[in-house]
Amino acid sequence: MSAAPAAAQAASAFLTDGAVMLGAALLSVTIFRKLGLGATLGYIVGGAMIGPGVLDLISDPQSVMSVSEIGIALLLFLVGMELQPSRLWRLRHDIFGLGLAQVILCGVALSTLIYFGLGISLAASLAIGLPLALSSTAQVLPMLRSTGDLSNSYGERAFSILLFQDLSIVPMITIIAAMSRSPIDPSAPPGLTLALYTVGAVVGLVVVGRFVINPLFRLIGRLGERELFIVAGLFAVIASASLMHSLHLSVPLGAFVAGVMLAESPYRHELESDVEPFRSILLGMFFLSVGMLLDFDVIGRSPWLIVGLAVAMIMIKTAIVFVLARLFGMKSGRAISLGLLLSQAGEFGFVLFGQAAAAQLITLEAASLFGAVVTLSMASTPFLMRFIDWLQAWMPDEMVDLEGPATSPETNAIVVGYGRFGQTVAQMLMAKRIPVTLIDSKPSQIELSEEFGTKVYYGDGTRIDLLRTAGAAEAEAILFCNDGDAINRQSMEAIIDAFPQAMIMVRVFDRRQLIDLSGLNITFAQRELFESAVAMGREALLRLGVAHREVDRVEEAYRSRDCDRLERQTATGDLHAASESMFRADRPLADAPAEPSA
């Protein structure tokens, strides 16, 4: 076959494989997201369906794995960018204390379980047990970001452990290489030389980052070319990873150091947003390739062994993380939650199992079997988080171990919900020395508030018994500032009947909820976005050259029409009532009559 037809055939196969993988990812991730099971598991299952074990639609799954490992490098690049030296110094005890203890204790415990439980060699047990001690950064970090926990003490503890786990990948690769039974690569440098290469490469990258990369980004920032940010960011990652690879060092370490180089850059957030899409796509391809390379014959021969190992691993890691978290001062409920959050094995397990198989420490069948254990443990995480939510709903005091309002001093006002809305309301009251009791149901919000010196009590502020312990029977006002969907007519009726002496003020989500609460003895109710939207509309009109008097007239007309429409909607129960009074492009406000001349 000539070169041209061969190249055309390779291009055709590449396009076909790409279409199949993207289609499988689109379908499976959509389904798993809809089921609340996360994108990572969706990618793995999608890859398994199109791989050799099921439909066999991909010509070379191994080549996909090689390319998609760049996604792992980009993930560590973004992790490195989180490490501003100030934050790293502040978290040093958690990173090098809690993180180090977690990796060592979990690694030793799991290696011991595998050594005695499966009767394999010590080297093979370490090559399997140490990677299982690592958790899934790709799965846990998005969870922490979505819940807003990444900036509080709970999230920072989890981040510290994940960070040390990511840093420990390089020593684990070194341990596996030291135990290797495969023939020595003649091109690889000796161990001492390799160590010197590592130190020299890291120092060199840091120097280049300070004196070359950061000035380069300042120059690009002055030019204002967004595309150059993307090119420069990818260049920093790929160049660092390529340097490490050429020195027979860890590619992820190079990407991580590249991220650390730019952690203090003023363009860090823009870089993160530019690199994130590439990271998401390539990391998704990595998980697809993991699914494609699963050996279903091995899995089919030992399904209960896989389940048993996954359950044992989750229990061991949860117990060890719980004990360590308690020793580091975390409360019981948060320690349990942290243990379950980090109980799964992670994506680097697949990478390290591949290294161990290449080093002839374990067979390819064993790598596939424990890859299935990792996959099953990752699949369990969303269910474990739902279990935690269920426990917190049914046994809040036992799960969170936070102080309730029973010990709160007598106050004139109770503010329920201490988020963005509640903070503004409470601070305005405290500005006039009005005593306020603050209640919130989110442990992360309470812990964050304590860092700023504000005492917030834990509990569901819509419960009559909890309000009574907070002093609602003597309070002059109860202000519900929590999310609008937490308030309903039934709960408000009960609260008004229980505490008739108190003014009830409510933050509602929208006009539907306001209509639902109509007729109740509520002193004040405010739609959460109404005033801010009116303020922005006023400012937009002024900036667009509309006279101040006309802006006042527009605001007055809008408020009047909106109030009338709300009354009609409440009376009829029809959201379309009085819709003809809404301003539209073809129904503007009539011009003001001309003033008579002097």
Side-chain angles (χ1 to χ4, degrees), residues 397 404-406 439 458-472:
D397 298 334
I439 301 173
Y458 175 79
D460 179 2
T462 62
R463 285 170 42 190
I464 301 293
D465 57 337
L466 186 133
L467 285 173
R468 200 178 299 280
T469 62

Side-chain angles (χ1 to χ4, degrees), residues 220 223-232 269-270 273-274:
I220 295 173
L223 294 174
E225 293 289 340
R226 183 175 178 83
E227 293 81 3
L228 287 179
F229 270 107
I230 301 175
V231 174
H269 296 293
E270 189 165 0
S273 62
D274 289 339

Side-chain angles (χ1 to χ4, degrees), residues 201-409:
V202 170
V203 173
L205 287 174
V206 172
V207 172
V208 169
R210 177 175 292 274
F211 295 105
V212 178
I213 300 298
N214 279 317
L216 175 63
F217 277 105
R218 284 195 293 271
L219 174 62
I220 295 173
R222 286 195 293 268
L223 294 174
E225 293 289 340
R226 183 175 178 83
E227 293 81 3
L228 287 179
F229 270 107
I230 301 175
V231 174
L234 292 176
F235 168 76
V237 179
I238 302 301
S240 301
S242 176
L243 173 65
M244 290 296 195
H245 181 71
S246 65
L247 295 175
H248 298 273
L249 302 175
S250 168
V251 169
L253 176 62
F256 175 77
V257 174
V260 174
M261 296 191 303
L262 301 170
E264 291 293 318
S265 170
Y267 306 105
R268 179 172 66 89
H269 296 293
E270 189 165 0
L271 275 170
E272 287 178 341
S273 62
D274 289 339
V275 172
E276 178 65 27
F278 296 94
R279 194 277 307 174
S280 300
I281 293 172
L282 289 171
L283 197 60
M285 294 299 104
F286 173 80
F287 288 124
L288 274 174
S289 63
V290 166
M292 286 187 275
L293 294 174
L294 288 176
D295 190 335
F296 285 93
D297 291 335
V298 174
I299 296 171
R301 288 196 296 268
S302 310
W304 294 113
L305 175 62
I306 293 171
V307 172
L309 287 171
V311 171
M313 180 192 69
I314 289 171
M315 294 176 63
I316 289 172
K317 292 181 72 173
T318 300
I320 290 175
V321 172
F322 170 78
V323 172
L324 289 175
R326 290 289 291 152
L327 291 175
F328 275 74
M330 289 189 73
K331 297 177 180 178
S332 298
R334 301 302 268 169
I336 292 174
S337 179
L338 183 65
L340 291 171
L341 181 68
L342 301 175
S343 63
Q344 79 289 115
E347 56 276 355
F348 286 112
F350 301 114
V351 177
L352 293 168
F353 293 153
Q355 296 275 343
Q360 297 183 6
L361 293 173
I362 62 175
T363 62
L364 291 175
E365 290 78 9
S368 187
L369 186 143
F370 282 97
V373 172
V374 173
T375 302
L376 183 59
S377 71
M378 293 173 72
S380 71
T381 303
F383 297 102
L384 293 175
M385 292 302 98
R386 290 183 181 182
F387 176 67
I388 285 292
D389 293 338
W390 179 82
L391 286 179
Q392 287 180 344
W394 284 96
M395 297 182 297
D397 298 334
E398 289 79 358
M399 283 303 300
V400 297
D401 198 19
L402 294 172
E403 186 178 358
T407 58
S408 63

Side-chain angles (χ1 to χ4, degrees), residues 463-527:
R463 285 170 42 190
I464 301 293
D465 57 337
L466 186 133
L467 285 173
R468 200 178 299 280
T469 62
E474 294 79 30
E476 298 178 37
I478 305 175
L479 300 89
F480 293 92
C481 303
N482 41 358
D483 292 338
D485 56 3
I487 302 298
N488 57 65
R489 186 180 184 88
Q490 183 179 2
S491 62
M492 284 297 101
E493 286 178 338
I495 291 169
I496 292 170
D497 291 341
F499 311 111
Q501 87 293 340
M503 297 183 297
I504 304 297
M505 299 186 180
V506 183
R507 163 198 179 186
V508 297
F509 180 71
D510 57 11
R511 62 194 316 114
R512 288 186 178 89
Q513 193 173 32
L514 197 57
I515 292 170
D516 180 58
L517 297 178
S518 63
L520 298 181
N521 187 24
I522 293 176
T523 306
F524 179 82
Q526 176 62 53
R527 283 172 281 171

